[in-house]
Amino acid sequence: MAEPSSKPTSEEDQSPQEPKEASSATAQKQEKRGRRGSGRHHAGCGGDSFQDGFITYFPSALNQVHQGLSLSPEALSVMECMIRDILDRIATEAGQLARYAKRVTITPWDIQIAVRLLLPGKTGKCAELQGTNAVLRTSLCALWKQRK
């Protein structure tokens, strides 16, 4: 039996070699990442015009519910993507409702119906209640400023 030789055959010698630029690009990507996690990003969470987006509000909202707890940068990133995704879904659904009603303006009613359609059970009811309260507060503040 012939033993496999470690020397390449003439066919292997003639095969085209991989360009060195491609391997150096891979090395550069690995160098850019630096520490673990800095190269990760979540799908659909692109760099919009918002710099920090909702991330600045998460610690204060968490502090109202659970004092003394904090979120890691990765958790903040996941929360940011989740909020942007839900906001996008609500806006899309509200736009479809407005288009179905042959209107060009999305009304608070469209947003309310979209939230009811997209969020299940108690989550939808709670979100609807919070949104209604926010609209009422905004309206009352506008009325209060007009009186002054």
Side-chain angles (χ1 to χ4, degrees), residues 9-140:
T9 62
S10 60
E11 292 176 359
E12 290 175 348
D13 286 339
Q14 295 174 357
S15 66
Q17 292 182 352
E18 214 173 283
K20 292 183 180 181
E21 298 160 5
S23 62
S24 65
T26 307
Q28 288 176 353
K29 283 182 185 177
Q30 289 174 351
E31 288 177 280
K32 280 185 182 178
R33 287 188 186 162
R35 58 180 203 160
R36 178 181 175 255
S38 60
R40 296 181 188 173
H41 55 85
H42 300 280
C45 195
D48 291 350
S49 61
F50 304 108
Q51 286 294 345
D52 289 331
F54 302 103
I55 288 179
T56 56
Y57 301 104
F58 293 144
S60 59
L62 181 64
N63 197 23
Q64 290 175 3
V65 181
H66 295 289
Q67 293 181 351
L69 292 182
S70 61
L71 294 169
S72 69
E74 257 184 21
L76 287 172
S77 176
V78 170
M79 291 288 291
E80 172 84 10
C81 288
M82 186 181 77
I83 295 297
R84 283 182 190 257
D85 180 49
I86 290 173
L87 182 64
D88 183 44
R89 289 181 190 191
I90 291 171
T92 303
E93 186 68 31
Q96 289 174 353
L97 288 168
R99 196 175 304 119
Y100 181 73
K102 296 181 180 165
R103 287 184 276 112
V104 293
T105 306
I106 295 175
T107 62
W109 180 253
D110 295 325
I111 300 291
Q112 187 175 359
I113 298 299
V115 167
R116 266 198 233 158
L117 289 170
L118 290 172
L119 299 177
K122 286 185 177 181
T123 306
K125 289 179 184 177
C126 182
E128 181 183 347
L129 179 65
Q130 292 291 328
T132 304
N133 288 341
V135 169
L136 289 174
R137 273 195 309 265
T138 305
S139 301
L140 289 174

